[in-house]
């Protein structure tokens, strides 16, 4: 049977039953944990929960019945993604390479970096990307098998505070004063 997933949140189960005597049969679907089935007396039901489903066909003319079971699995585990540590953008920074981290085999995942207030450079569809400005960067990951998605963000903080340099006015160099001391003690 199919597996429920983020890509496939519902499955249609079908049953075919016939009577050897040609009498019409009554069908009844049940779930092993008692989950109610909205219309349990039809040949097809749409399900959204995993578990064991049973369909019972009963011949009302003689009371004989037969049952069949189907197990439905679920795979809704979203990828565990980490966009990495926050970074600092300073006066010497020209770009920062952002490296995401992911649990599991990377070949089944699709990556997408985006930003609303930063600047991306180069391809944005891999686990790493180059940032060209401070801002918030989002790494979104899609599991191509089950369709589940998750995301994480990393922030590049701006630290562009220029130092302040102050020089106290020195004495004048002349024939009497050959040297002066420069004092920048008020600088930061």
């Amino acid at each position: 049977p199919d597996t429920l997933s983020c890509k496939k949140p519902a499955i249609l189960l079908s049953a075919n039953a016939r009577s050897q005597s040609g009498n019409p049969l009554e069908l009844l679907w049940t779930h092993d944990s008692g989950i109610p089935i909205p219309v349990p007396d039809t040949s097809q039901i749409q399900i959204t929960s995993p578990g064991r489903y049973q369909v019972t066909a009963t011949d009302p003319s003689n009371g004989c019945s037969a049952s069949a079971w189907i197990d439905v699995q679920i795979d809704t585990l979203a990828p565990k993604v980490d966009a990495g540590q926050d970074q600092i953008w300073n006066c010497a920074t020209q770009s920062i390479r952002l490296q995401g981290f992911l649990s599991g085999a990377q070949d089944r995942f699709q990556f997408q970096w985006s930003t609303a207030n930063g600047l991306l450079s180069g391809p944005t569809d891999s686990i790493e990307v180059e940032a060209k400005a401070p801002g918030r960067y989002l790494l979104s990951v899609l599991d191509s098998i089950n369709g589940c998605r998750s995301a994480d963000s990393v922030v590049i903080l701006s630290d562009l505070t220029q130092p302040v340099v102050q020089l106290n006015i020195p004495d004048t160099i002349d024939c009497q004063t050959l040297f002066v001391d420069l004092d920048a003690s008020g600088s930061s």
Side-chain angles (χ1 to χ4, degrees), residues 85-91 93 96 98 133-137 154-160:
Q85 297 279 332
D86 289 349
Q87 305 282 330
I88 301 293
W89 187 279
N90 59 36
C91 295
T93 307
I96 294 178
L98 299 176
R136 178 176 296 277
Y137 294 85
V154 61
V155 175
I156 299 178
L157 299 168
S158 179
D159 180 9
L160 301 174

Side-chain angles (χ1 to χ4, degrees), residues 142-154:
L142 172 69
D143 183 322
S144 59
I145 293 175
N146 69 12
C148 297
R149 180 182 302 273
S150 65
D152 190 35
S153 64
V154 61

Side-chain angles (χ1 to χ4, degrees), residues 9 32 37 48 88 103 173:
D32 65 345
I37 297 171
T48 57
I88 301 293
S103 64
I173 296 177

